[in-house]
Amino acid sequence: MCRRLTRVALILLLLPPLLAAVAGWLASPALVHPIRRELTPDLIREADASFALIGATREDFDVRGPDGVLLRGWKVRPRNPNDNWVLLFHGQADNRVGVIGQGDFLLRAGYSIVMMDARAHGASEGAIATYGWLERNDTRAIIDELVRSEVDRYADEQLRSGKWRLIPAGDFDPQKPVHPPVPLPGAPLHIFALGESMGAGIVLQSAAADPRIEAVVAESPFASLREATYDYAGLHKSPLLGKTLFAPGAWALLYRGEIIARFPAAEVSPQKAVAARTFPVLLICDENDIVLPCRHAEMIYAAARGPKQLWIVPRAFHTAAYGFAPEEFRRRVLSFFSAAASGKN
């Protein structure tokens, strides 16, 4: 009887971790191959109607990532631009239209915006999502192209208006050094970023890698990919469950993800990113978020070395802060970017 009870106890003790490991292994492909939300003609028409309502204009904006992946998106200008730009980053299994609400109030305030589909999302190429490992380099390429295209656009406008003229090669003195102004005419005055969920994690890592991003708003970010797997392994009930009884599920999820995508998933960490470079950050966590609970934002807040704010939105669930507190959301974000632009953060 004693041996039988021991065997039963061992089975009950070992079965949950074993099943969790199997579940994590099977779920891993979905982690790196997220469901793709297509950018349909209906979504484009709805976005265009929203832009037209406030007098904003959009143009297609395609950028090649460092590895050759084509990233597709839009540049959108308000009726009265203030020469500042905000990069918008959507969440997992979404596309650029997912952040159109945030884009709307930024455009109304005079900010120009860049709305890209992340790699492996929307209309962009790529089969693998790496949650910041490759995407931070994509962001650098996006900023490079944004600056180049805006400088070229400004130069074309000046030439067409007659304010600038081309100097014939024979009239140019190569011995006289030419020092172009910094920043170049037409370049963005300030570049900020706003992201939610996966996009929040990506932009925090991007800002650590590229100092041209001067300030970041991040809603529902993950502290690290490893920490996020504990929530998934814990069935969004308890991260402690994911770190103990169901921990093999988190381990298997990350381990197989690294094998499939060939990137160090365990090293993907916005928490480490904010400790690596000093920049202003506004962290927004939703009180009833069970996907990425406030624990993540709090861990990032504790690690951040630059000016930082943490706003916990009452009753809101995952990435729903703007829906639950639209006026406060707009006020906080706009005042945050305004302070960053004036150097008061």
Side-chain angles (χ1 to χ4, degrees):
M1 177 63 73
C2 185
R3 289 181 178 179
R4 181 178 298 177
L5 290 174
T6 301
R7 285 197 297 269
V8 170
L10 286 173
I11 290 172
L12 292 176
L13 183 64
L14 297 176
L15 187 59
L18 179 60
L19 292 176
V22 172
W25 187 268
L26 295 176
S28 191
L31 176 70
V32 295
H33 299 296
I35 296 171
R36 190 183 288 265
R37 183 190 180 195
E38 298 295 336
L39 186 70
T40 64
D42 285 344
L43 286 177
I44 296 173
R45 280 193 294 270
E46 291 173 10
D48 284 341
S50 175
F51 297 146
L53 191 63
I54 57 175
T57 56
R58 76 162 176 90
E59 61 182 274
D60 290 336
F61 185 53
D62 297 344
V63 180
R64 286 282 176 187
D67 59 353
V69 166
L70 181 61
L71 308 168
R72 298 187 184 277
W74 296 329
K75 288 196 297 186
V76 190
R77 290 183 175 82
R79 179 181 285 132
N80 299 305
N82 61 15
D83 296 328
N84 298 318
W85 286 78
V86 181
L87 313 179
L88 298 179
F89 293 73
H90 61 77
Q92 184 198 43
D94 203 349
N95 62 37
R96 71 191 85 163
V97 178
V99 286
I100 198 168
Q102 296 92 323
D104 180 86
F105 77 77
L106 289 167
L107 288 165
R108 290 175 186 269
Y111 292 91
S112 300
I113 60 175
V114 174
M115 305 170 67
M116 303 297 294
D117 290 336
R119 61 170 58 223
H121 289 77
S124 289
E125 294 179 351
I128 301 291
T130 65
Y131 299 88
W133 187 256
L134 295 177
E135 289 83 355
R136 57 185 173 173
N137 296 322
D138 293 341
T139 303
R140 183 183 288 111
I142 290 166
I143 296 176
D144 287 343
E145 182 59 22
L146 172 64
V147 172
R148 185 204 64 77
S149 63
E150 288 303 299
V151 169
D152 286 353
R153 178 176 179 271
Y154 181 81
D156 288 343
E157 289 176 348
Q158 301 307 303
L159 288 170
R160 282 198 302 269
S161 68
K163 295 179 180 178
W164 287 7
R165 66 184 181 89
L166 294 175
I167 301 175
D171 297 338
F172 179 71
D173 181 5
Q175 301 302 316
K176 188 176 181 179
V178 176
H179 300 287
V182 179
L184 294 172
L189 187 60
H190 299 284
I191 298 176
F192 307 126
L194 183 153
E196 61 180 28
S197 193
M198 177 191 77
I202 289 172
V203 73
L204 288 168
Q205 294 171 85
S206 297
D210 195 325
R212 290 175 294 181
I213 300 176
E214 298 177 42
V216 170
V217 175
E219 181 186 356
S220 300
F222 58 92
S224 67
L225 206 51
R226 180 181 296 280
E227 190 69 24
T229 62
Y230 293 140
D231 291 288
Y232 282 86
L235 307 176
H236 299 299
K237 300 294 183 183
S238 168
L240 182 61
L241 195 62
K243 292 179 180 181
T244 53
L245 189 61
F246 292 161
W251 302 337
L253 187 67
L254 273 187
Y255 177 70
R256 192 181 182 197
E258 290 184 334
I259 293 174
I260 295 171
R262 298 180 181 179
F263 77 104
E267 294 302 312
V268 175
S269 175
Q271 182 182 12
K272 291 181 180 179
V274 297
R277 179 194 158 220
T278 299
F279 59 92
V281 59
L282 168 59
L283 297 162
I284 302 172
C285 74
D286 305 304
E287 185 180 45
N288 293 334
D289 190 345
I290 63 171
V291 178
L292 293 169
C294 283
R295 176 182 88 259
H296 291 268
E298 290 166 350
M299 291 171 66
I300 295 170
Y301 181 81
R305 295 195 298 118
K308 54 189 177 181
Q309 300 176 36
L310 175 62
W311 177 33
I312 300 175
V313 185
R315 303 183 306 281
F317 49 86
H318 188 62
T319 69
Y322 188 45
F324 274 79
E327 291 185 10
E328 183 70 4
F329 193 102
R330 287 191 293 265
R331 186 191 69 77
R332 285 179 180 262
V333 170
L334 293 176
S335 64
F336 175 75
F337 284 150
S338 177
S342 62
K344 293 179 180 179
N345 270 339

